[in-house]
Amino acid sequence: MAKADNSYYIPRLRRMVGCETVSVRDSFAPDEFMKLRAVMAELFPEVHKRADIRYFSEDCWVYKFEGKDSKRNILLMSHHDVVAAGEGWTYPPFGLEEHGGKLYGRGVFDTKASLFSFFQATEELLEDGFVPECNLWLASSHNEELFGDGIPEAVKYFKENGIGFEIVIDEGGAITEPPVDGVKAGKCAMVGVHEKGRFTYTCTASTDSIYQDIMKARKKNPVEQMTAFIEAVGKKDIFIRRLNKEVENMFTFIAPHLGFPLSFVFSRLKVFGPLIKKIMPRLNPQAKGLIGTTCNFTKIEGSSASKKCTATVYFQPVSLEDFKKDLESFRSLAKEYGITVEEGQTADFHEPADITVPAFSYAKKCIEDIFPDCPVVPFILPSGGTDVRNLREICPCNLRFTPLKVSNKQVGLVHMADENLDADTLKDAVRFYKHFIKNYR
């Protein structure tokens, strides 16, 4: 039976999806995770025969295949944990049933299909006696959904042993609908080259505040102070807005595939950039978030009778340097309302990938070779949290791309009931990874 056939691939993927590797905060139940380990060993015997395998934390896998040049390294990665299935499924969430050409199952897109695809690609190459030009690494985390310690522990190992990577490809982007209307192709290969950071701060209003005398908001109750401040933050655009390099690259890459007048506008950002910057915040919250820091108040505690009111604010910056200035503006406005601002528990920011390196050009060519009708478009993930962000210090080209064709509706079903994937896209995903691994020089 031809291996590049759904009748061969789908039953293998079904066994992986059938392992209920659900992430649970502050707990690790090993049974289903160990079951998946055993399934992987059965499905991919050549991989397990040839690889040097290490495990980190409870169940983060790292496989190494020695290459002809043992000083160079590339890494393909994913994660095998999933969120809980929840209610409302039309078909059994861990059955991977096929209906109407779609595969339904928890984790099929996020991200067991990509995990299957690069393991399957490596297995097929090894069966043919393939030896990579440089060290090939495969990795998968067991707690990515929880911002867990799996990949961070592996990164510590890499750093301690002086291991760096020329390119890493993880989840985050896919072959999906274009980010703007007017693209001639039906889909674009959206390659994540950056993701927004995550910071939390605690805001406090108190009747004992040293700022009471200078408060402009004529409110004395701490809850009223906080309410007035939150309203002011919403009304005043106090954060820096700019078309940073990553957003400019998105428009530059997509411009040749647009019709007039958008192709004309996006290919002349020096002229039209200021206009685009003004328009984007009016399009939708996601577009506004691409040109600067966003903030949301996520938790407010206090009462009209209390002497204190606290609020947690969640910042997502695009640029760390801009965020430092944004925070100064935020603190200044807070002071006007008698609010103190203190740093919270979360502080997570990583620099963008460098798309000027040869490894990015190679990845782009591989995508174009397998998906010739899908323009490659770099973009910023509006919400952070992919494991690959942790590798930026040891890899200049850390990309977020899954070679699966999906609709925006399918992307929206990630973590929801009836998560699904088109069955036909599996074989192309395997083809992509085989092409990428085999031809890397």
Side-chain angles (χ1 to χ4, degrees):
M1 182 183 298
K3 287 187 175 178
D5 187 284
N6 282 344
S7 60
Y8 180 76
Y9 288 155
I10 292 174
R12 293 164 70 80
L13 177 59
R14 181 174 293 120
R15 293 189 63 191
M16 293 172 59
V17 173
C19 300
E20 301 182 28
T21 50
V22 177
S23 286
V24 179
R25 190 167 297 282
D26 301 322
S27 175
F28 178 72
D31 290 356
E32 291 295 317
F33 288 86
M34 296 305 105
K35 177 182 173 183
L36 179 59
R37 270 202 211 182
V39 166
M40 298 296 285
E42 291 178 21
L43 293 178
F44 309 110
E46 285 299 317
V47 165
H48 287 77
K49 184 190 303 181
R50 291 270 300 275
D52 173 17
I53 307 174
R54 295 176 183 269
Y55 299 100
F56 298 90
S57 186
E58 294 96 350
D59 192 47
C60 177
W61 319 332
V62 174
Y63 290 61
K64 177 187 177 183
F65 303 88
E66 193 80 17
K68 297 174 184 177
D69 184 346
S70 61
K71 295 181 181 179
R72 299 169 56 219
N73 304 279
I74 61 174
L75 169 63
L76 302 175
M77 59 188 285
S78 187
H79 65 88
H80 52 276
D81 65 321
V82 301
V83 300
E87 303 295 330
W89 285 78
T90 306
Y91 310 105
F94 295 100
L96 198 71
E97 293 187 8
E98 183 176 0
H99 297 275
K102 300 183 186 302
L103 304 172
Y104 289 82
R106 170 56 80 230
V108 63
F109 178 46
D110 186 26
T111 58
K112 285 182 177 174
S114 61
L115 179 65
F116 164 80
S117 296
F118 64 69
F119 266 82
Q120 180 65 38
T122 305
E123 181 76 9
E124 292 179 16
L125 288 170
L126 294 177
E127 287 176 348
D128 293 336
F130 172 75
V131 177
E133 288 296 316
C134 63
N135 296 332
L136 168 66
W137 300 71
L138 309 180
S140 183
S141 170
H142 66 301
N143 55 13
E144 186 271 353
E145 297 290 2
L146 305 175
F147 301 99
D149 65 347
I151 287 298
E153 287 296 319
V155 171
K156 288 181 184 178
Y157 167 79
F158 295 143
K159 289 181 177 179
E160 289 169 358
N161 289 272
I163 299 168
F165 298 91
E166 295 176 0
I167 186 170
V168 180
I169 300 181
D170 189 16
E171 62 149 339
I175 298 172
T176 188
E177 294 162 36
V180 296
D181 294 334
V183 177
K184 300 170 186 176
K187 292 185 182 293
C188 289
M190 302 300 298
V191 179
V193 296
H194 188 30
E195 57 190 72
K196 301 191 73 174
R198 301 178 301 119
F199 294 85
T200 58
Y201 282 75
T202 300
C203 301
T204 303
S206 170
T207 55
D208 299 325
S209 171
I210 62 174
Y211 301 125
Q212 284 294 321
D213 292 339
I214 61 173
M215 190 178 66
K216 294 180 179 179
R218 296 185 184 178
K219 306 285 184 183
K220 295 182 180 181
N221 183 296
V223 173
E224 293 175 322
Q225 284 178 248
M226 189 64 71
T227 301
F229 172 58
I230 293 173
E231 184 179 5
V233 172
K235 287 183 176 180
K236 299 179 180 181
D237 195 1
I238 60 174
F239 301 136
I240 297 168
R241 302 292 173 205
R242 73 169 84 243
L243 293 185
N244 59 62
K245 182 174 64 176
E246 286 68 43
V247 174
E248 288 183 345
N249 285 334
M250 179 178 73
F251 289 134
T252 300
F253 274 67
I254 206 170
H257 307 281
L258 292 165
F260 185 84
L262 288 180
S263 60
F264 181 81
V265 171
F266 289 159
S267 61
R268 291 164 175 79
L269 292 178
K270 288 185 178 180
V271 176
F272 294 104
L275 175 62
I276 295 172
K277 186 179 71 172
K278 288 184 179 180
I279 292 174
M280 287 185 69
R282 302 174 187 175
L283 297 178
N284 53 58
Q286 291 75 25
K288 181 179 181 180
L290 294 179
I291 61 171
T293 300
T294 56
C295 79
N296 292 287
F297 290 86
T298 59
K299 185 179 181 181
I300 302 175
E301 294 181 317
S303 67
S304 58
S306 69
K307 294 184 177 181
K308 180 186 291 186
C309 179
T310 62
T312 300
V313 60
Y314 180 61
F315 294 100
Q316 286 196 279
V318 176
S319 161
L320 189 57
E321 290 305 310
D322 284 351
F323 177 60
K324 292 176 182 177
K325 298 175 184 177
D326 290 338
L327 193 56
E328 290 178 5
S329 300
F330 185 85
R331 289 183 186 276
S332 178
L333 182 62
K335 185 175 181 179
E336 294 180 15
Y337 288 84
I339 308 291
T340 59
V341 182
E342 296 180 353
E343 189 171 350
Q345 294 182 341
T346 303
D348 184 15
F349 185 89
H350 301 270
E351 292 299 322
D354 183 353
I355 68 170
T356 67
V357 296
F360 180 83
S361 298
Y362 174 75
K364 178 176 180 292
K365 184 178 185 307
C366 286
I367 296 170
E368 292 168 344
D369 288 346
I370 303 301
F371 306 99
D373 298 327
C374 301
V376 174
V377 180
F379 79 109
I380 301 175
L381 270 71
S383 57
T386 63
D387 272 334
V388 76
R389 75 191 192 284
N390 297 292
L391 285 103
R392 180 60 180 86
E393 291 182 24
I394 57 174
C395 177
C397 190
N398 57 330
L399 306 180
R400 300 146 181 87
F401 174 70
T402 301
L404 297 166
K405 289 185 176 181
V406 289
S407 65
N408 285 347
K409 181 178 180 180
Q410 287 171 314
V411 173
L413 288 172
V414 169
H415 295 183
M416 306 293 286
D418 285 346
E419 178 182 353
N420 70 83
L421 190 68
D422 289 359
D424 285 344
T425 195
L426 263 187
K427 58 181 181 293
D428 285 337
V430 177
R431 283 180 58 226
F432 169 80
Y433 286 121
K434 285 184 73 172
H435 186 64
F436 181 90
I437 295 168
K438 186 176 182 179
N439 297 291
Y440 193 87
R441 297 290 183 266

